[in-house]
């Protein structure tokens, strides 16, 4: 999707990895550079103490900015992105570490990358999110959203938990396992991959369900249409279990609890021109083959 | 999809597992029963010598019948179904073995099952197919279609083959492996599962790509949007390799050959009322859990 | 190993699954039956309140009895067996659930099974154990033994832990994962199997090391000679991690801790005549094939 | 094992990768260098046309030389080594490609490496081999030995084969699969790894059995004591199958054939001082972790 003619990028929001001194320094340089170009800048709490720009709550930010810049790693980007679910504001990650799956712009290239996006270059990929709710005795206890994954897992106890899964009302299985990963395509290359799941292409409308260390060996990962409603019921939980959203938000779970997961709104991540999904995969997963490589072993 | 009001099931085609005496006997009973109901029946070559009904080439059958009945296992059904790709004629499999993923009706229940379908009961699932072409030196050598899977595999030689995959023009990887499975959702529970692939829900528009015994351990299965065009180029093939379509059609391959795979037309399989996709999975994969089972270990 | 002529089975110890009423009833029947045969019986704390036999601390039991009977499941047997490490006293498990890997005698057959063992029938398999120690800042904090497995795992925190493994002083890897299983052959069919490990034959002198959900996909399970000394050093632990012994004993771990694991003494499990290791595997793992089965699919 | 005082390395055998011009040139340099040191040199057929040294049949070579040098990759070394099974003559591989699992000496370092071994430096690892026999209707049709693996595989046919395995007379399973790998510890890092097997440490006396793409998902790899006799019986083979020894020798198989596999003699591979088994694993498998690496992701 091209967005150059859609957005007039007057106001730019900036957030950084909390407590990261290098990110703060870079952010200040970026703010100066943006203001030279007559852009307005606002920041969230992560930069409150570092600069004099207006500080806006991250959850309200989407209503104030035309472009959001995030300096950090994939984790920082996930945290900011969850506040932009349902908004069309593009988010550009400037990667302070190594190549990320989601953070697109290398820091060495920060000004050029931001410039490209401000000029309407690059492209946007809409990543859908998952919404999860925890219900106990018919009462909704809490919930949240995730860009990568919703992970049910045992906690503080060495024995497996047991739970049932239903998909759009149909019983799928009762399984004993360490847990279960429900991942978006973006999340399929994160924790779900370690749990044995496949790579789900970022443009496929699908939810990946991957049991973690299932007791029954034939309980393989399942890829479902993203419109399916997934319900988990905890049938045996020797000690409190947890529901983790993007590995960042946590809900405590007890035996009998019901978890409802469904597709939720999208976030719009900005990518630079020439970005190649498969090249990122090859690099992150150390696939050795290249077209011109005669020694692919 | 309900089809009861769409089709007027005047003419019924029948095909059986070739050389299966029991199937032939059952087919004759079925023919008698259908004619009592004033249906017209025609058969393909598999029944030519067993009955006096008009015999039609299987590849022309879709143009002559309103419902196709197949007596055999999943293999027989796959063979017949490939001749119905692109047609809306529903196909009902009567299973002579055990529960199949595709063959729906248990033989003990044959007349009732056919009756239900003739009365417009049950439902139809459209399964898309894959079309594969083999190109050598710019010339198309051959091709075919598959309902379950297109499998590239080494043949007659103990050493791995090496090939490159491109998806809609983008280079994905060069890999050394025993082969590669490209499966439809229907095929994800067939050979692809043995190769380590996930289960892809039958209603997801996706193609599963699963390397068979890849040399690079991080070459995990990938699930792609079904609209993607997949190209394989054989970069190192010590001895002729093979391209197998549904394990039933075979094309011989040499080093340098290019294989092009894309989504093709659908077939309409008829299922009985109450058919439950996940129940079939549970049964075939020996998932032990049931809602009321207290001993799921 | 035949042991009939080695042991004079004068004194029999009994332990049951704690709080299991059925086990208590069966134990009382068993005690009566053994006393009719002029055997002496002693019990551990699990039966203290149910009978008037002498009660001996389970950790001292091995010095007092010639045969130990355990009524429960594999978990109960593991707990009792850890107190018999280094002793030659045979232990017979009477299984109150379904077929266990370790608990040998079906409850329906309890008297006949015990009778057979008392008469010197059956055989003994010596299972070696693992000893684990936790060291912090050069001080040994604690330790314990395991018959099945020593499992390092993250706890109360959604992020992976990172640790290094050395084998007999040689650096093997630094890995990020949910944890690591170190299993004996007996333990290879327990949790390690869910984590992707192979089955290690019960008579092989080997330790299985299986990472749980490793971040690096090529970090495959490794089978080591049982004489190897294994050292783990926790290099990154965002929140307290745990070391679980047979899923029953727990040690809390912090970043920087070192864990030392080595082969320890054996326990002698009694098996009935005709017990077949592979038959147990087939049954537990639902391998369908049998010699006379024409439908192995 | 140190061998410096055991062997008086008077006569050196040399073999190269057949048809490799670079290897031939290096071999000639090596021959000149060895003769300057008053060593006697003999070659096998691979060097017959390149030099004037005595040419000895590779199968008789072990009786004539005190050290065998092989210039090539792991494949060349495997081929030569099979002719040295049961002999104590050390074999040193000079690797013309990249780091091999078995070929020890980098070519850049060839003279120094050979010098070290001639001086009694380095160490020897004895790798045991597997012997395989094919029996049909009670008659032994053929057989051979393998250093890495004996692989049963289907051939020229897209359908799985079905076979039974017995271990020391006990029935283990009947399975449908693409094939079965029986690997030594050395072979566990070759094809068996691609088939999903674990790494078996080179000093463990064990045989790894790994099904290739088994139909039944719980048919996991099994690690057996190396003294076990393994028998396979082919119960369903739609088209001729193959038994491949180290991927280099091939025996054709038919339905009903029986294959007997057992541990056979050892070969003595020479390794340079400081060779580290785990370092080789890390390098070949791209395990990223290093002791001093703060970015192990």
């Amino acid at each position: 999707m091209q967005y150059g003619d859609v957005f007039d990028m007057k106001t730019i929001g900036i957030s950084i990895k909390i407590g990261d001194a290098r990110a703060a320094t870079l952010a200040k340089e970026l703010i100066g550079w943006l203001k030279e170009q007559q852009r307005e800048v606002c920041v969230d709490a992560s930069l409150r103490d570092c600069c004099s720009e207006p500080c806006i709550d991250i959850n309200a930010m989407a209503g104030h900015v035309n472009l959001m810049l995030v300096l950090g790693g994939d984790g920082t980007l996930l945290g900011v992105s969850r506040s932009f679910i349902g908004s069309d504001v593009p988010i550009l990650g400037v990667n302070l570490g190594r190549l990320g799956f989601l953070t697109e712009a290398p820091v060495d290239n920060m000004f050029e990358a931001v410039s490209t996006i401000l000029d309407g270059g690059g492209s946007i990929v809409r990543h859908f999110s998952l919404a999860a709710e925890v219900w106990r005795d018919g009462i909704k206890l809490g919930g949240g959203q995730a860009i990568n994954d919703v992970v049910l897992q045992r906690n503080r106890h060495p024995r497996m938990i047991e739970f049932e899964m239903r998909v759009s009302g149909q019983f799928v299985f009762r399984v004993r396992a360490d847990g279960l990963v429900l991942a978006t395509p973006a999340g399929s290359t994160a924790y779900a991959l370690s749990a044995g799941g496949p790579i789900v292409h970022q443009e496929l409308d699908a939810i990946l369900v991957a049991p973690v260390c299932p007791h029954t060996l034939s309980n393989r990962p399942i890829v479902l249409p993203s419109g399916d409603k997934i319900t988990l019921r905890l049938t045996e939980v020797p000690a409190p279990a947890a529901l983790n959203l993007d590995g960042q938000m946590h809900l405590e779970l007890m035996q009998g609890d019901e978890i409802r997961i469904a597709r939720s709104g999208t976030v719009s991540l900005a990518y630079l021109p020439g970005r190649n999904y498969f090249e990122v995969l090859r690099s992150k997963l150390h696939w050795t083959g290249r077209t011109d490589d005669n020694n692919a072993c």
Side-chain angles (χ1 to χ4, degrees), chain A residues 170-199:
Chain A
Q170 289 194 302
F171 176 66
V172 178
F173 55 52
R174 177 185 285 204
V175 69
R176 291 207 303 159
D178 276 3
L180 188 79
V181 188
L182 300 117
T184 63
S188 73
T189 50
Y191 182 55
L193 202 59
S194 292
I199 295 157

Side-chain angles (χ1 to χ4, degrees), chain A residues 249-271:
Chain A
M249 279 187 60
H250 320 293
L251 298 163
E252 194 159 280
L253 300 172
M254 289 171 50
Q255 189 161 314
D257 284 356
E258 190 176 287
I259 305 151
R260 301 180 188 168
I261 297 110
R263 180 191 171 122
S264 186
T266 61
V267 295
S268 296
L269 297 193
Y271 293 103

Side-chain angles (χ1 to χ4, degrees), chain A residues 183-234:
Chain A
T184 63
S188 73
T189 50
Y191 182 55
L193 202 59
S194 292
I199 295 157
V200 179
H201 191 281
Q202 66 178 13
E203 286 169 16
L204 191 68
D205 275 326
I207 299 175
L208 167 60
V209 179
V212 181
C213 297
H215 182 268
T216 299
L217 301 179
S218 60
N219 267 311
R220 298 286 286 269
I222 307 178
V223 189
L224 297 169
S226 73
D228 274 329
K229 311 297 181 198
I230 298 166
T231 310
L232 306 176
R233 195 167 62 84
L234 303 188

